[in-house]
């Protein structure tokens, strides 16, 4: 039998998450600065939100935010590389989280296209509350013609509430079928 070295379309994203999960860090975050390879926070430049990160091996991160002008968006962006979806019928995410206050998040698959990017949002909103919870959602790709089978780059984006105070992401996994 031949050796199978196909790690799947999700390999780069899974590796990015594994690196984040393996390290400890603490301190302020600056918008659009990678605090782990392939992972960055994006804030609306019109907001005065300041963010702090805390993480330790085995968890992704805990994010705290403060500000009087929340802005229009606050997002956690995870680079997935080119991620060829041509051999997949489904792309999905599973996330474990907890927050002091009830938070709802939207999850988006952003694909690079000529002249910009195309966003496709998962159908369910992720809800986080003061008890660890697990969220799972998927895109049945045949139902989403706006998701190109091949793209030069992709990102998984968690659109956080702009007025977020605290959120702990225990784990995040990608899957494809």
């Amino acid at each position: 039998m031949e050796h199978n070295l196909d790690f799947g379309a999700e390999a780069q994203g899974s590796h990015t998450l594994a690196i984040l999960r393996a390290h400890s860090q603490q301190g302020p975050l600056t918008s659009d600065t990678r605090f782990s390879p392939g992972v960055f926070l994006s804030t609306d430049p019109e907001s005065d939100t300041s963010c702090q990160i805390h993480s330790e091996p085995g968890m992704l991160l805990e994010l705290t935010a403060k500000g009087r002008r929340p802005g229009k968006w606050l997002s956690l962006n995870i680079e997935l590389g080119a991620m060829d979806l041509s051999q997949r019928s489904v792309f999905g995410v599973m996330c474990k989280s907890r927050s002091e206050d009830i938070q709802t998040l939207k999850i988006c698959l952003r694909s690079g296209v000529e002249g910009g990017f195309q966003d496709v949002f998962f159908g369910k909103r992720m809800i986080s509350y003061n008890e660890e919870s697990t969220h799972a959602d998927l895109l049945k790709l045949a139902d989403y013609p706006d998701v190109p089978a091949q793209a030069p780059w992709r990102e998984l984006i968690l659109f956080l509430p702009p007025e977020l105070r605290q959120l702990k992401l225990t784990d995040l996994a990608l899957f494809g079928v």
Side-chain angles (χ1 to χ4, degrees):
M1 184 166 131
E2 297 277 320
H3 294 285
N4 183 355
L5 297 177
D6 179 11
F7 297 113
E10 304 78 24
Q12 184 171 340
S14 295
H15 181 70
T16 298
L17 292 168
I19 292 171
L20 179 59
R21 193 179 296 110
H23 291 94
S24 295
Q25 54 186 316
Q26 190 162 333
L29 291 178
T30 305
S31 185
D32 300 321
T33 300
R34 279 145 186 80
F35 58 88
S36 182
V39 184
F40 63 96
L41 190 72
S42 178
T43 58
D44 181 348
E46 294 182 13
S47 80
D48 67 351
T49 301
S50 64
C51 297
Q52 296 274 325
I53 187 174
H54 168 79
S55 69
E56 47 196 57
M59 68 175 269
L60 288 181
L61 60 91
E62 183 171 1
L63 182 67
T64 56
K66 294 180 184 174
R68 287 175 276 126
R69 267 190 343 269
K72 296 177 185 155
W73 79 85
L74 175 64
S75 67
L76 179 66
N77 299 50
I78 301 158
E79 296 173 344
L80 305 176
M83 196 168 67
D84 180 359
L85 295 174
S86 62
Q87 301 302 309
R88 297 284 190 256
S89 59
V90 169
F91 174 70
V93 296
M94 291 184 67
C95 185
K96 289 184 182 179
S97 69
R98 181 181 186 149
S99 61
E100 294 169 358
D101 304 317
I102 295 174
Q103 304 291 332
T104 60
L105 294 76
K106 291 174 70 174
I107 302 176
C108 168
L109 178 62
R110 177 169 285 175
S111 301
V113 296
E114 188 175 327
F117 58 85
Q118 179 66 44
D119 286 349
V120 173
F121 286 86
F122 286 77
K124 300 182 209 172
R125 287 185 180 259
M126 182 176 137
I127 301 173
S128 185
Y129 49 93
N130 200 6
E131 184 176 307
E132 187 169 88
S133 61
T134 301
H135 171 82
D137 202 354
L138 57 87
L139 296 173
K140 187 176 175 187
L141 296 170
D143 294 344
Y144 292 91
D146 291 344
V147 177
Q150 297 185 340
W153 59 269
R154 295 189 203 268
E155 291 178 355
L156 184 73
I157 304 175
L158 279 66
F159 280 98
L160 311 169
E163 65 283 350
L164 178 81
R165 290 185 328 124
Q166 180 271 344
L167 177 67
K168 182 176 183 177
L169 297 178
T170 309
D171 204 2
L172 178 64
L174 310 173
F175 64 91
V177 179

